[in-house]
Amino acid sequence: MVNAASIGLSTRDLYLFNKGDLFHSYRTFGAHPIRLGDEHGVRFAVWAPNARQVRVAGSFNDWNGEGHAMELVGETGVWSLFVPEIGAGDLYKYEIETLEGNWLLKSDPFAFGAERRPDTASLITDLTKYKWRDEEWQRRKQDGSPYHESMLIYEVHLGSWKNKGKEQFLTYEELAGELVEYVAGMGYTHIELLPILEHPLDQSWGYQVTGYYAPTSRYGSPEQLMILVDKCHERGIGVILDWVPCHFCKDDHGLRRFDGTPIYEGTDWKRAEKPIWGTLSFDFGRTEVQSFLISNAIFWMDVYHIDGLRVDAVASMIDLNFDKPPELHTFNKHGGTENTDAIRFLKRLNETVFHYYPDALMIAEDSSAWPAVTSPTYMGGLGFNFKWNMGWMNDMLRYIELEPNERMHHHNLVTFSLVYAFSENYILPLSHDEVVHGKRSLLNKMPGTYEQKFAQLRLFYGFWMTHPGKKLLFMGGELGQFDEWKDAEMLDWKLLQYPLHHSMQQYVKRLNTVYAEQSPLWERDCDPGGFEWIDVHNAAQSVIVFMRRSHDCNRFTITICNFSYLHHGQYRIGVPERGNYRTVLHSEDAVYGGCLQEVQQEAGSSDIPWHGREYSIEVDLPPFSFQLLSFGDGEVNIPY
């Protein structure tokens, strides 16, 4: 056995790792270029508690680890070795002898770089060279509060936003120019990256990971990723990373039976199996796994300055039998189906992240009805600060796909979300999952003629943008794509040569700008006092009208949506104040592909009580139209 101190390891750190409390374990594990005495080289450390032997094989020893046997550090299950005269750029793997005498060749779970698939070796990487320039962004972020600020997220799959041909991807550095400028120009506040942790299969979109600490080499080097994040921050854009702690893939070089035994997935194979994905669940009750995963969350914020994590598949984590056939069902010690280990893990994860990064975004992608997902753990919650509103998304997509003459019979699909809209801190997602696998693109979900599809998509976006909750749109939604997302091809940018698609992009850009300008649309997203129905029961005409208020209650907006194919002229709406109501945006403006050459710029109130209010205004409601009116914001806000 080796003495930990002799190779620069801390016995306390190894103790904390075994205990589940080493939250920066990437500083201990993996391959670290260091100086030991008078020698420069690389220190390797890996957890393989049930291995007979572990060796390092790599490009520096012709992939034969016989001369580079690692030594066990005490009774920690950790093996370590210092190899002189090697460094960044060298490739390596671990040769692991199992208890049965078989030899495995494994990538490093803590590798900071990886070969480009289909090759699977780990890459010795020095992450200390890049000089960050985002101090101003970090200061500004600390002074803000995400609950009371605008949040408009552009969800991106880097390999198919744009590319140079089949499997000819733009690099992180190239994306730092073109993508970031596009996102900033369109008015988004954040980019959310589909998983960029190293993964073997393109078609998994990054959701089946082998290298949790290595950004995928498909798009270039770790330093190039740092350039991308830095550029986002320079342009005032936050970066959210899709993060997948639920499960991992079964590829031989990965975490499955890492030392010949199930140390990451646990020994209960029924609990470990994720049959719908062909993957394995982490053993969230194992302390070393907790150190590994929580450290990984911290790592992306520490090293890559990621601003937040969207935690994938929370529902699958907290339910032992989520999407499993009866023969794989298991139960907790109380006889229930809750995964109590996963629940404790999620609470601890969020507590730890917010301890180190109080201004982080921790977003739950959760389709369950689990309560208090975004409540603090000391109040019994899971401790996230935002959650995707999957109920709103499913109801609204179901509603908007209905034939217009059927919508009056399903009016509750539009209104029901306000029953629970303030029970959590919500993000309203229109994500990649809704435009693949035969679900059709957002535009193609709309019924009717070519022009009616565009009109309804503009209407739908207007309702989405003004409904309580932060916002997320998957790339391509702003173009009005007809086809579903194709992960192996880039977006259909050629559509912009056609007037209605170009107008749709300009409409989304203007809608994004209006959202940023109108504080009632985001200041009180988590406060029921910031929302008020004006006309909620008009199912017969498929019309809804509601109000959003800012902290300054004298400033508010009114959203008017006509989801029917009929024109409603001289439609009267009750309003709370006497005065002029300015048209901020009208979806049927010809500028955006609509039918109106001129849009009424304001509506003056009358002393005619309506909808339980002292005053009212009259507006014209074209078919499939959205209008946003503003009161109390000073100058007329003209969108032309």
Side-chain angles (χ1 to χ4, degrees):
M1 292 186 183
V2 69
N3 179 277
S6 68
I7 51 173
L9 292 177
S10 161
T11 54
R12 175 171 171 75
D13 284 349
L14 298 182
Y15 166 77
L16 291 174
F17 175 77
N18 291 142
K19 193 170 178 285
D21 294 337
L22 188 63
F23 301 134
H24 295 83
S25 57
Y26 66 89
R27 297 173 182 170
T28 297
F29 291 86
H32 290 267
I34 64 169
R35 178 174 177 170
L36 197 60
D38 295 329
E39 293 185 300
H40 291 275
V42 173
R43 185 194 68 212
F44 297 90
V46 65
W47 177 57
N50 301 312
R52 279 186 174 180
Q53 293 185 66
V54 183
R55 307 187 303 213
V56 182
S59 56
F60 47 86
N61 61 14
D62 294 325
W63 296 99
N64 184 338
E66 288 185 14
H68 290 96
M70 304 180 77
E71 295 188 71
L72 194 60
V73 184
E75 298 180 355
T76 62
V78 176
W79 301 75
S80 189
L81 174 69
F82 175 75
V83 180
E85 299 181 0
I86 66 171
D90 285 317
L91 298 171
Y92 72 101
K93 282 188 176 182
Y94 294 120
E95 294 177 341
I96 300 175
E97 185 183 11
T98 70
L99 293 174
E100 294 77 25
N102 301 316
W103 284 92
L104 307 175
L105 191 60
K106 291 286 189 176
S107 300
D108 187 351
F110 282 89
F112 302 133
E115 277 189 297
R116 183 163 171 160
R117 53 77 177 125
D119 295 320
T120 58
S122 299
L123 179 68
I124 298 173
T125 305
D126 188 346
L127 298 176
T128 65
K129 301 293 187 185
Y130 186 75
K131 303 299 182 185
W132 288 89
R133 298 180 292 275
D134 63 349
E135 295 87 356
E136 182 181 347
W137 166 264
Q138 299 296 346
R139 285 194 298 270
R140 196 163 70 240
K141 190 170 66 169
Q142 291 171 10
D143 293 337
S145 168
Y147 309 107
H148 309 302
E149 295 176 351
S150 60
M151 186 185 298
L152 183 53
I153 304 166
Y154 190 66
E155 187 187 35
V156 179
H157 176 257
L158 293 182
S160 58
W161 182 74
K162 282 188 179 179
N163 56 45
K164 303 171 186 176
K166 183 173 179 162
E167 298 189 16
Q168 297 179 39
F169 305 118
L170 298 179
T171 67
Y172 296 116
E173 189 168 2
E174 290 169 328
L175 290 160
E178 196 167 357
L179 171 63
V180 175
E181 290 307 310
Y182 178 79
V183 170
M186 287 293 293
Y188 292 96
T189 64
H190 292 75
I191 293 177
E192 182 172 315
L193 303 177
L194 265 64
I196 56 168
L197 286 62
E198 193 58 81
H199 54 282
L201 180 65
D202 290 8
Q203 287 72 29
S204 78
W205 312 332
Y207 288 97
Q208 296 187 10
V209 178
T210 49
Y212 274 82
Y213 289 81
T216 178
S217 53
R218 286 167 177 81
Y219 314 127
S221 68
E223 185 168 303
Q224 288 179 315
L225 174 58
M226 294 175 185
I227 292 171
L228 171 58
V229 176
D230 217 2
K231 185 66 174 178
C232 285
H233 291 169
E234 178 187 322
R235 300 291 278 119
I237 297 167
V239 182
I240 300 166
L241 177 64
D242 269 16
W243 188 59
V244 193
C246 174
H247 60 135
F248 57 89
C249 58
K250 296 181 177 181
D251 293 57
D252 286 342
H253 67 282
L255 299 178
R256 181 177 66 91
R257 299 187 69 87
F258 184 76
D259 63 0
T261 65
I263 60 173
Y264 284 95
E265 63 268 40
T267 56
D268 187 336
W269 68 272
K270 289 185 177 181
R271 287 198 179 188
E273 287 289 339
K274 293 284 187 185
I276 61 168
W277 295 316
T279 56
L280 294 169
S281 172
F282 280 100
D283 179 1
F284 299 107
R286 183 149 193 172
T287 50
E288 292 90 351
V289 171
Q290 293 171 24
S291 287
F292 175 80
L293 286 173
I294 295 175
S295 292
N296 188 243
I298 299 297
F299 167 82
W300 289 101
M301 297 179 185
D302 270 356
V303 176
Y304 287 95
H305 291 206
I306 295 296
D307 300 292
L309 302 175
R310 176 266 203 186
V311 180
D312 184 60
V314 169
S316 180
M317 294 175 69
I318 62 179
D319 182 351
L320 288 169
N321 300 328
F322 184 89
D323 274 348
K324 287 188 175 184
E327 61 270 21
L328 291 182
H329 283 191
T330 59
F331 302 91
N332 61 38
K333 64 182 181 181
H334 305 293
T337 62
E338 300 85 4
N339 188 335
T340 53
D341 288 337
I343 292 165
R344 282 192 293 268
F345 165 77
L346 288 170
K347 291 181 177 182
R348 196 152 188 249
L349 165 72
N350 288 317
E351 289 169 352
T352 306
V353 168
F354 289 126
H355 171 77
Y356 290 104
Y357 291 96
D359 51 7
L361 298 172
M362 292 297 290
I363 303 165
E365 188 268 323
D366 177 27
S367 58
S368 76
W370 191 269
V373 171
T374 58
S375 292
T377 57
Y378 63 79
M379 296 178 63
L382 290 184
F384 291 93
N385 54 3
F386 286 97
K387 172 182 173 175
W388 276 20
N389 192 335
M390 312 289 274
W392 172 88
M393 178 194 70
N394 289 323
D395 284 352
M396 278 309 301
L397 292 180
R398 179 182 165 200
Y399 177 81
I400 206 68
E401 291 183 56
L402 292 169
E403 290 297 327
N405 59 357
E406 288 295 313
R407 289 174 181 165
M408 68 176 69
H409 306 299
H410 301 275
H411 195 66
N412 64 301
L413 292 175
V414 183
T415 61
F416 179 66
S417 60
L418 269 301
V419 173
Y420 61 86
F422 307 103
S423 63
E424 303 276 7
N425 303 325
Y426 279 120
I427 293 173
L428 308 186
L430 296 172
S431 76
H432 66 280
D433 274 332
E434 306 316 310
V435 293
V436 291
H437 301 322
K439 295 179 184 177
R440 297 176 291 170
S441 69
L442 291 178
L443 181 69
N444 224 6
K445 294 178 192 291
M446 309 295 156
T449 66
Y450 180 77
E451 290 79 9
Q452 287 174 333
K453 286 178 180 291
F454 281 93
Q456 289 175 91
L457 187 57
R458 292 192 301 269
L459 161 63
F460 177 55
Y461 282 161
F463 173 73
W464 163 69
M465 192 67 80
T466 56
H467 186 289
K470 311 305 181 185
K471 310 297 185 295
L472 177 143
L473 180 66
F474 183 55
M475 64 180 197
E478 76 277 17
L479 308 180
Q481 291 203 156
F482 265 110
D483 289 346
E484 289 187 337
W485 170 47
K486 303 177 286 291
D487 61 84
E489 302 175 26
M490 71 175 176
L491 297 182
D492 295 331
W493 295 102
K494 62 182 181 295
L495 292 174
L496 292 178
Q497 65 186 297
Y498 300 103
L500 279 179
H501 292 279
H502 181 266
S503 296
M504 177 61 71
Q505 185 194 44
Q506 295 307 304
Y507 175 75
V508 171
K509 182 177 180 179
R510 177 59 192 165
L511 189 59
N512 292 353
T513 301
V514 166
Y515 171 74
E517 293 172 346
Q518 297 292 328
S519 61
L521 299 180
W522 38 264
E523 273 190 353
R524 302 175 72 182
D525 270 327
C526 308
D527 174 7
F531 177 90
E532 189 175 338
W533 284 116
I534 293 177
D535 191 358
V536 62
H537 299 299
N538 192 354
Q541 293 179 298
S542 297
V543 172
I544 63 164
V545 184
F546 59 84
M547 182 165 53
R548 300 288 306 278
R549 289 189 184 273
S550 67
H551 290 310
D552 173 6
C553 290
N554 293 322
R555 185 179 184 191
F556 56 87
T557 61
I558 294 177
T559 293
I560 310 164
C561 295
N562 177 13
F563 288 101
S564 81
Y565 60 91
L566 299 175
H567 176 255
H568 306 309
Q570 297 181 314
Y571 194 91
R572 187 164 293 277
I573 295 169
V575 293
E577 302 288 345
R578 178 189 281 124
N580 291 328
Y581 289 75
R582 301 172 180 84
T583 302
V584 179
L585 186 61
H586 197 308
S587 68
E588 281 303 291
D589 189 333
V591 172
Y592 308 118
C595 63
L596 301 178
Q597 295 301 318
E598 292 187 15
V599 172
Q600 181 180 355
Q601 294 186 14
E602 62 180 40
S605 65
S606 302
D607 294 340
I608 301 174
W610 210 260
H611 292 136
R613 292 167 175 80
E614 283 188 69
Y615 314 105
S616 59
I617 59 175
E618 276 192 350
V619 293
D620 189 71
L621 303 188
F624 305 132
S625 64
F626 157 82
Q627 298 175 54
L628 183 66
L629 309 182
S630 180
F631 185 90
D633 62 345
E635 295 299 318
V636 177
N637 207 348
I638 307 291
Y640 322 117

